[in-house]
Amino acid sequence: MRKIGILYGMENTFPPAFVDEINRRNVPDVVAEHIRIGGVKMAEPSGYAVILDRISQDIDFYRAYLKNAVLSGTKVINNPFWWTADDKFFNYALASKMGVAIPNTVILPHHEHPPGTTDRSMRNLMFPLNWQEIFEYIGFPAFLKPYDGGGWKHVYKVHDAEELWEKYNQTGDLCMTLQSSVEFDDYFRCYVVGQKKVHIMRYDPRAPHAERYVKNGPPIDPAMQARLEGDCLKICQALGYDLNTVEFACEKGIPYAIDFMNPAPDADIHSVGEENFHWIVNAMADYCIELALDNTPPQTEFRWNRFLNG
């Protein structure tokens, strides 16, 4: 029997719906279940053909378990090796190299020394920073946000240098980016599954959390839809993510990709709505079954880059 497991945290709607959808289909030799983990023996197979990971970004034990599972042939969504090495600043740079519209972005040093370091650890760092050059490149308003964060935590919109420094002073030892603000007139959040399926959702990040997914919005212009789909696939294929959301803030007809490192995206029915919820449940069920039935042999060359490439 080929088992598909899901690893999750506080979610209550997506995990059971995902498991039930796979089992409802009665695919021969395929079953889905909620994973239970005890102590993990090194190099021992996990027993799963596929694992859908929704929580290891927050729990190191789970991340180690998943990398150990990959070592013995389990297909993990998303690749825990790549996700471990990834950050949003690199993603912005990579997407810009591929021709995706990205707002001007700079990475800033930690405001406070990271634990275990002192000013002597920072002797290669320019002080003071070349703030005027940064301001000319970014402009105002701008967004100050963590280089590898998520969930809109520690995100600040700043309108001038004084406000920037006020917020920067609150960031402690977080590594932050400063990004030009897109004064958007339209906004989209897109599910991307298996690096081949795209589901575009109108989204309003300024609304209360439970109301951000726009219901019954106007139709999307075909040219805009084609560009959104193309950019989504380009980004996720380059990053190697089989589940992701890509967010676009559109200004004067240009969709700027502003957030696309979301490998455990929101899939709760109460926030995304029934239509979007059923799409992601079915798309992930389709993809995980496809992977479970894939007879590609596991890795036989144990090199770090082979696990990154999948």
Side-chain angles (χ1 to χ4, degrees):
M1 183 66 69
R2 304 183 189 206
K3 294 198 299 182
I4 298 170
I6 182 167
L7 190 64
Y8 58 96
M10 294 184 285
E11 293 181 282
N12 291 318
T13 60
F14 176 77
F18 169 78
V19 169
D20 291 348
E21 176 59 27
I22 291 175
N23 292 334
R24 181 192 65 80
R25 298 184 186 188
N26 292 315
V27 178
D29 198 36
V30 173
V31 65
E33 65 181 36
H34 304 267
I35 294 177
R36 294 293 180 267
I37 308 170
V40 179
K41 297 177 182 177
M42 67 177 185
E44 183 168 275
S46 70
Y48 291 95
V50 179
I51 294 176
L52 176 55
D53 170 27
R54 305 281 297 157
I55 189 61
S56 76
Q57 73 276 8
D58 294 329
I59 299 176
D60 291 340
F61 169 70
Y62 286 157
R63 182 60 60 88
Y65 163 76
L66 292 171
K67 290 193 284 188
N68 192 68
V70 171
L71 188 64
S72 296
T74 300
K75 301 178 179 74
V76 177
I77 305 168
N78 280 287
N79 184 325
F81 289 91
W82 177 237
W83 195 355
T84 299
D86 205 8
D87 69 72
K88 292 190 175 186
F89 181 69
F90 173 75
N91 290 358
Y92 293 137
L94 177 62
S96 70
K97 288 282 190 181
M98 297 187 298
V100 176
I102 304 291
N104 287 350
T105 307
V106 299
I107 191 167
L108 299 174
H110 311 262
H111 184 266
E112 297 177 7
H113 300 314
T117 68
T118 70
D119 56 347
R120 289 179 59 80
S121 308
M122 303 295 178
R123 286 183 289 179
N124 291 105
L125 183 64
M126 179 187 297
F127 185 84
L129 293 183
N130 50 348
W131 286 112
Q132 190 57 42
E133 181 181 337
I134 292 171
F135 296 157
E136 290 174 359
Y137 176 66
I138 298 294
F140 288 107
F143 278 94
L144 181 68
K145 53 188 179 180
Y147 94 116
D148 64 350
W152 290 84
K153 297 176 183 176
H154 308 290
V155 175
Y156 309 99
K157 187 172 185 178
V158 295
H159 297 83
D160 52 40
E162 287 70 24
E163 190 174 7
L164 166 63
W165 289 321
E166 175 193 346
K167 299 302 182 185
Y168 189 38
N169 289 343
Q170 300 174 24
T171 61
D173 63 1
L174 294 176
C175 185
M176 306 293 286
T177 60
L178 186 66
Q179 185 173 77
S180 300
S181 175
V182 178
E183 301 305 297
F184 60 88
D185 43 54
D186 218 345
Y187 199 104
F188 300 96
R189 199 166 206 245
C190 309
Y191 280 128
V192 189
V193 172
Q195 303 178 33
K196 55 190 176 183
K197 288 184 180 179
V198 178
H199 179 65
I200 301 172
M201 302 170 284
R202 286 191 178 275
Y203 189 78
D204 184 357
R206 296 167 294 198
H209 184 76
E211 301 172 11
R212 289 181 180 178
Y213 291 87
V214 179
K215 298 177 182 178
N216 304 314
I220 302 171
D221 177 77
M224 175 64 74
Q225 179 167 333
R227 178 161 179 181
L228 294 174
E229 290 177 352
D231 283 355
C232 281
L233 294 177
K234 192 182 296 184
I235 287 169
C236 291
Q237 288 165 5
L239 295 178
Y241 286 140
D242 291 313
L243 172 59
N244 199 3
T245 51
V246 182
E247 294 187 19
F248 296 92
C250 303
E251 182 178 4
K252 298 179 181 178
I254 299 175
Y256 292 90
I258 62 166
D259 190 11
F260 41 94
M261 184 183 162
N262 300 298
D266 181 13
D268 184 84
I269 192 171
H270 301 297
S271 57
V272 304
E274 287 193 18
E275 179 183 350
N276 298 324
F277 178 77
H278 292 307
W279 187 93
I280 192 61
V281 167
N282 281 282
M284 286 311 302
D286 289 342
Y287 185 59
C288 288
I289 291 170
E290 175 188 330
L291 289 182
L293 296 175
D294 181 8
N295 291 317
T296 302
Q299 298 280 356
T300 56
E301 184 180 346
F302 300 118
R303 295 173 183 262
W304 167 256
N305 68 305
R306 293 297 296 269
F307 295 109
L308 277 176
N309 295 334

